[in-house]
Amino acid sequence: MILVADSGSTKTSWIALARNGQHIFQTETQGLNPGVFTKETLYERVMGSKDLSHNREKVEKIFFYGAGCGTELGKKVLAEVFKTIFTKADIHVHEDTLAAAKALQSDDPAIICILGTGSNCSYYDGEVLHQKVISLGYIIMDDASGNYYGRQLLRDYYYNKMPADLAAKFASDYDLNAETIVRNLYKEENPNTYLAESGKFIILNKDNAYGQKVILDGLRSFAENHILQFEESKEIPVSFVGSIAHFLKDEIKIVMKEYGLKLGKIVRHPILSV
């Protein structure tokens, strides 16, 4: 059995394949970002899946593409966790942007962007990924990601910058009690995922002036801080993967046009194309 996984901070999608490429099963676990979670949490999340735990002795190879795996330390942490579970497996851990590049099914150069719970951007020369910006995580980076938009919404709500009707709707859909927010941000696991949950509100209410401004400002920030770091971005396609990219495809088209950038593909689930 061969396992292929595409992981962010929120969820991990797994596909099990036979040697001939036939699908055996498909499953999901919670996110497995080694930059956010401890080894114990990573272990528990994998073992919490019956599909994975019950078949762990059958697994011969693992190809894992994940957020937080762009450093040698991140790769090492996950490889060690997987080795304790899948004891007979040959394990390969790569950063999530490589899965995105493979999902686009092209050997041509492209700028590859990820917009999900977090965000990332790389230049793919057809063989190798090149990074210009080292991510410092969701607190100060991750422009235009789910957690970025969640953070913007909470700030605007508490700074009274959100239109009154939308603020009332936001408060009815989410628990915006200050104590609840502070606990989730500073006491509970997965503050980035918590913020991304709030960020969904902007997508559901994007067809108004406030929603459009917040979304476009975030995408412009991403373009300026990430995409335009690469000189190649003016000449080659800029492609996107992830749920945020999927739901904001119309807004991405607007921003790409504003900056004179050529839009490539937008793929929601890379693992289904790898």
Side-chain angles (χ1 to χ4, degrees):
M1 184 184 294
I2 299 169
L3 289 180
V4 181
D6 171 40
S7 179
S9 295
T10 302
K11 70 175 182 178
T12 305
S13 299
W14 300 79
I15 292 179
L17 306 170
R19 289 183 181 180
N20 62 4
Q22 181 181 355
H23 281 213
I24 300 173
F25 65 80
Q26 191 167 331
T27 191
E28 284 189 357
T29 62
Q30 291 177 286
L32 298 172
N33 185 335
V36 176
F37 308 117
T38 64
K39 283 187 176 181
E40 290 74 21
T41 298
L42 296 170
Y43 178 89
E44 290 169 2
R45 290 187 168 190
V46 176
M47 289 298 291
S49 166
K50 291 183 179 180
D51 287 322
L52 298 177
S53 61
H54 289 181
N55 289 287
R56 56 182 178 156
E57 295 298 321
K58 301 176 184 177
V59 178
E60 297 178 346
K61 289 187 178 181
I62 297 175
F63 296 94
F64 185 93
Y65 304 88
C69 298
T71 66
E72 290 305 314
L73 178 59
K75 294 176 183 177
K76 180 182 178 183
V77 167
L78 265 180
E80 289 175 351
V81 171
F82 290 154
K83 200 62 184 176
T84 63
I85 299 171
F86 307 102
T87 57
K88 299 178 181 178
D90 181 20
I91 298 165
H92 303 267
V93 179
H94 306 281
E95 60 183 299
D96 50 356
T97 319
L98 184 58
K102 290 178 178 292
L104 297 172
Q105 299 177 331
S106 174
D107 293 327
D108 297 325
I111 303 296
I112 309 296
C113 306
I114 295 176
L115 295 181
T117 297
S119 64
N120 198 1
C121 180
S122 300
Y123 165 55
Y124 182 61
D125 65 11
E127 294 182 357
V128 179
L129 287 167
H130 302 272
Q131 200 85 28
K132 274 285 183 75
V133 177
I134 298 174
S135 177
L136 298 178
Y138 71 94
I139 294 177
I140 61 174
M141 289 190 169
D142 278 2
D143 298 357
S145 66
N147 69 66
Y148 167 92
Y149 286 122
R151 183 168 66 246
Q152 295 304 114
L153 288 172
L154 291 174
R155 284 171 57 86
D156 283 359
Y157 179 84
Y158 269 89
Y159 281 135
N160 300 308
K161 292 183 177 181
M162 187 180 290
D165 58 336
L166 205 60
K169 188 176 181 181
F170 192 32
S172 70
D173 291 351
Y174 293 86
D175 181 355
L176 299 183
N177 179 278
E179 292 182 358
T180 301
I181 295 171
V182 170
R183 185 182 71 252
N184 277 282
L185 292 180
Y186 302 106
K187 299 291 185 181
E188 302 292 341
E189 284 189 341
N190 311 357
N192 55 334
T193 304
Y194 168 74
L195 287 171
E197 282 296 317
S198 300
K200 292 179 181 179
F201 183 80
I202 200 68
I203 294 174
L204 296 173
N205 295 276
K206 68 175 188 173
D207 295 326
N208 60 66
Y210 169 81
Q212 280 290 293
K213 183 180 186 308
V214 172
I215 289 169
L216 293 175
D217 284 352
L219 290 171
R220 290 176 184 127
S221 179
F222 183 83
E224 293 175 5
N225 291 330
H226 292 270
I227 298 173
L228 295 180
Q229 292 269 357
F230 297 101
E231 296 178 1
E232 296 86 354
S233 64
K234 292 293 186 178
E235 302 174 358
I236 61 177
V238 180
S239 293
F240 294 79
V241 301
S243 294
I244 297 296
H246 170 77
F247 288 113
L248 299 184
K249 59 170 67 76
D250 292 335
E251 289 74 19
I252 287 173
K253 291 175 183 177
I254 291 172
V255 172
M256 292 297 99
K257 186 175 181 179
E258 286 181 358
Y259 287 92
L261 300 170
K262 180 182 178 182
L263 179 62
K265 298 179 180 178
I266 298 178
V267 177
R268 183 177 183 183
H269 298 298
I271 195 170
L272 299 181
S273 303
V274 172

